[in-house]
């Protein structure tokens, strides 16, 4: 992204700065987070979203929460830090990058517990910036690995937003598209609008147009028709949490998209950094699925579109079983036909 | 429907009266059609919609167009009638009931060409009312046949609106649900919202609530997740045109829904009157698919949700191949595992 989705402004006494994504594409406005309540709400209300970007926000948010801690005692500091991380943990349940980043900040604090609190704070500040920097690097590596899988002249379908807006850099799924384009391949894109919050329409098509890509927007229910007409060569999506066996939770609708792609013999790729894997979870059925407000489904642009009294079910994610995934593209390499053994081999290096 | 979706008001000098479905569920307002331009726009703009209801509107619209014809000469009358039917034919391309009803009105005129023009007009008035009456009867018969396929305590998923609002009576797909409920079976329903025009959210859930049904609204992209969670026992949808081999065109998204149902071993039923079959068309790939305005996809509640400059593809229908259809439910009986032979046998009685 020419305009960073998330960054830190003004040194260690500064603040977290994000694009408020709920206002896109109509308005490009920044939100400055000086306290953890603002960080929490920004994550909860999807002002910042996308698994990697949530991780970065959580790390910066931890620093926001402890930078003013007025103590020289590690025990007191640790108590404060745990209050902050436990609070941020409640913002959203599915994307593992949130928990991963918070744990990493906790581990950093533990590792430097012998240092004076002021030094410790600086270490945590550096750790948060390091998480952002690593994410930028891994975006680029994912792009490079993924681009090799795309033939010249391909039409790629993507879902939700796994782009620069979902990360600190230039995306996961969209990084693959950007890298393919940069390497001179002539790429076209179908973006699915992604109900109920329209991240595909609002964010992905905006981002792709900004990068000069040829993008066609469709409703989510048009996928099968577009595929049977032969308009799509491959699908690439992001992920919010990947289990040890390669099952991947992603935005609601991804599972159905993978079924329909398989029916048409179209390769289905998941692009995600290593921080999205959760090896403590054996398979997708154990991934907690966030349910969101009925309001998102019954109301459009402030206008009620469904009758009063109707029940609503609004799961925000679903799980793509590994058997429907052609390959998972990470910054460490590509896992073809993923299973527990191959995931273990790439992530831990065993086997 | 307690309130008729479409009816004729006030004898042969009267007018066509429809519920303006674009305003539901917020407002229940009637539209009176005194001229064929109003009829044409009502069909084009989906104020009246659903294949059977479109057929009825076309028949009544034909009468609206010729009732004032000031001639005693059949040739002149026929010329006027053909102008009217040819004009109405251009309103929407996919639902065959439109063409079927217009042809039926033309045949009636030809059959009574020896009669004085005034008598002929009365005959055509009766023919239009007869089409409405037959549709009401066939709705009920579809309901009876379909209800036999539903077990007590089932949860049924439906798509778009194939209810009273789509017909002159109480629906096709929803007739099955109503009949099952009336026969004392405890039925629950999942209604898919059906982007872009939200007929499922706006119309189906409204109609089902009016009939006292337990209805849960979901976004179209939630179907696979809801199915893998074991929440759905069967799917029943309507159709806009069924080819001779049993391939069925229906609202965009139906094809994907059928693929996902098959993946989960969930029966998928199509409910439609015999007038929805088009035996001149050998298979689904020959059915013309209407493309509608980009505006429907890029704008919600008058608010732009996608960036300017994005391309849009907006097909309004897709085709469910017969191999994915467990059975087609008609007013003449049920065609299990439909194919050309079985369709022919039920419709024409041959074999």
């Amino acid at each position: 992204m020419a305009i960073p989705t998330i960054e830190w402004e003004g040194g260690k006494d500064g603040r977290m700065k994000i694009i408020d994504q709920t206002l896109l594409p109509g308005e490009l406005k920044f939100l400055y987070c000086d306290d953890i309540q603002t960080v929490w709400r920004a994550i909860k209300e999807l002002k910042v979203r996308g698994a990697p970007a949530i991780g970065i926000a959580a790390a910066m948010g931890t620093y926001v929460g402890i930078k003013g801690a007025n103590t020289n005692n590690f025990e007191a500091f640790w108590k404060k830090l745990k209050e902050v991380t436990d609070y941020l943990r409640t913002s959203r349940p599915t994307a593992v990058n949130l928990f991963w980043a918070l744990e990493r900040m906790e581990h950093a604090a533990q590792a430097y517990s012998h240092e004076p609190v002021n030094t410790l704070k600086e270490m945590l500040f550096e750790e948060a910036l390091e998480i952002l920097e690593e994410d930028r690097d891994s975006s680029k590596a994912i792009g490079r690995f993924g681009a090799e899988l795309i033939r010249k002249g391909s039409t790629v379908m993507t879902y939700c937003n796994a782009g620069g807006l979902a990360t600190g850099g230039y995306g996961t799924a969209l990084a693959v598209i950007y890298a393919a384009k940069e390497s001179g391949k002539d790429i076209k894109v179908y973006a699915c609008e992604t109900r109920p919050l329209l991240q595909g329409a609002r964010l992905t098509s905006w981002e792709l147009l900004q990068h000069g890509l040829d993008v066609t927007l469709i409703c989510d229910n048009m996928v099968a028709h577009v595929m049977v007409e032969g308009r799509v060569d491959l699908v690439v999506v992001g992920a919010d949490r990947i289990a040890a066996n390669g099952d991947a939770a992603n935005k609601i609708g991804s599972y159905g998209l993978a079924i329909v792609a398989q029916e048409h013999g179209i390769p289905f790729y998941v692009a995600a950094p290593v921080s999205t894997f959760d090896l403590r979870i054996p398979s997708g059925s154990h991934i907690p699925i966030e349910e969101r407000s009925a309001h998102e489904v019954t109301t459009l642009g402030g206008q009620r579109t469904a009758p009063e009294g109707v029940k609503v079910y609004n799961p925000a994610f679903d799980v793509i079983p590994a058997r429907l995934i052609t390959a998972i593209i990470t910054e460490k390499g590509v896992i073809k036909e993923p299973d527990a053994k191959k995931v273990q081999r790439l992530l831990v290096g065993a086997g």
Side-chain angles (χ1 to χ4, degrees), chain A:
Chain A
M1 296 288 293
I3 308 148
T5 298
I6 179 164
E7 62 184 328
W8 188 266
E9 195 183 68
K12 63 184 172 145
D13 293 324
R15 53 197 185 161
M16 177 175 135
K17 178 185 177 186
I18 61 166
I19 296 178
D20 182 349
Q21 299 190 34
T22 60
L23 304 175
L24 287 175
E27 195 180 348
L28 178 62
K29 200 176 158 181
F30 298 97
L31 178 72
Y32 298 89
C33 302
D34 270 328
D35 59 80
I36 56 165
Q37 286 74 23
T38 308
V39 174
W40 188 91
R41 274 205 311 276
I43 297 172
K44 178 75 178 179
E45 294 167 7
L46 280 59
K47 294 176 197 295
V48 60
R49 37 128 323 266
I54 290 173
I56 299 160
M60 287 185 178
T62 303
Y63 179 68
V64 164
I66 56 88
K67 75 183 164 79
N70 199 8
T71 175
N72 283 319
N73 173 284
F74 178 76
E75 293 308 317
F77 180 77
W78 174 253
K79 199 178 157 222
K80 174 71 188 162
L81 184 133
K82 275 295 283 177
E83 271 173 34
V84 171
T85 53
D86 285 346
Y87 173 63
L88 291 175
R89 264 184 191 93
T90 63
S91 57
R92 293 194 73 192
T94 301
V96 78
N97 309 60
L98 175 75
F99 308 100
W100 168 85
L102 294 172
E103 269 180 37
R104 190 163 148 180
M105 294 298 277
E106 288 169 358
H107 288 159
Q110 291 286 354
Y112 297 102
S113 61
H114 55 282
E115 299 281 354
V117 166
N118 273 344
T119 311
L120 193 45
K121 284 184 190 174
E122 278 174 36
M123 298 290 197
L124 290 173
F125 177 62
E126 295 302 327
E127 189 74 13
L129 294 189
E130 177 69 20
I131 287 175
L132 170 62
E133 206 47 54
E134 284 174 17
D135 183 76
R136 288 184 176 157
D137 291 342
S138 71
S139 270
K140 282 177 200 159
I142 288 169
R144 276 195 307 274
F145 281 119
E148 288 169 24
L149 302 167
I150 299 188
R151 287 206 200 116
K152 229 173 164 162
S154 293
T155 300
V156 185
M157 180 175 280
T158 189
Y159 194 76
C160 194
N161 175 269
L165 287 167
T167 65
Y170 76 156
T172 53
L174 298 196
V176 173
I177 292 170
Y178 296 143
K181 183 175 188 277
E182 279 160 24
S183 70
K185 290 169 181 169
D186 182 30
I187 300 294
K188 286 183 183 156
V189 184
Y190 274 92
C192 302
E193 64 173 7
T194 319
R195 282 282 290 149
L197 295 180
L198 301 170
Q199 293 91 336
R202 294 191 301 107
L203 308 179
T204 294
S205 61
W206 180 77
E207 206 186 306
L208 291 171
L209 286 175
Q210 287 221 328
H211 280 79
L213 275 137
D214 178 321
V215 52
T216 301
L217 178 65
I218 59 168
C219 298
D220 307 325
N221 58 10
M222 295 170 187
V223 160
H225 185 65
V226 165
M227 285 184 178
V228 82
E229 288 188 314
R231 293 171 182 258
V232 179
D233 298 303
L234 68 147
V235 180
V236 57
V237 303
D240 290 81
R241 192 184 304 212
I242 303 176
N245 70 343
D247 292 351
N250 192 43
K251 179 54 54 194
I252 187 75
S254 302
Y255 170 43
L257 179 56
I259 293 169
V260 169
Q262 189 187 51
E263 173 80 11
H264 296 97
I266 294 169
F268 187 96
Y269 298 104
V270 172
V274 163
S275 56
T276 300
F277 285 81
D278 183 355
L279 298 185
R280 286 170 293 196
I281 280 193
S283 72
S285 60
H286 299 84
I287 299 175
I289 301 293
E290 177 181 9
E291 270 188 58
R292 295 183 61 86
S293 156
H295 184 80
E296 294 180 353
V297 177
T298 55
T299 312
L300 284 180
Q303 223 174 313
R304 181 96 194 176
T305 51
E308 298 289 342
V310 71
K311 292 182 190 174
V312 170
Y313 181 47
N314 184 19
F317 300 91
D318 59 19
V319 175
I320 313 153
R323 68 181 160 80
L324 297 177
I325 300 172
T326 309
I328 302 176
I329 306 160
T330 79
E331 73 273 33
K332 284 185 152 190
V334 174
I335 312 174
K336 288 187 183 164
E337 294 172 22
D339 61 23
K341 240 187 208 163
K342 292 179 191 167
V343 167
Q344 178 79 8
R345 201 179 301 148
L346 188 90
L347 264 67
V348 192

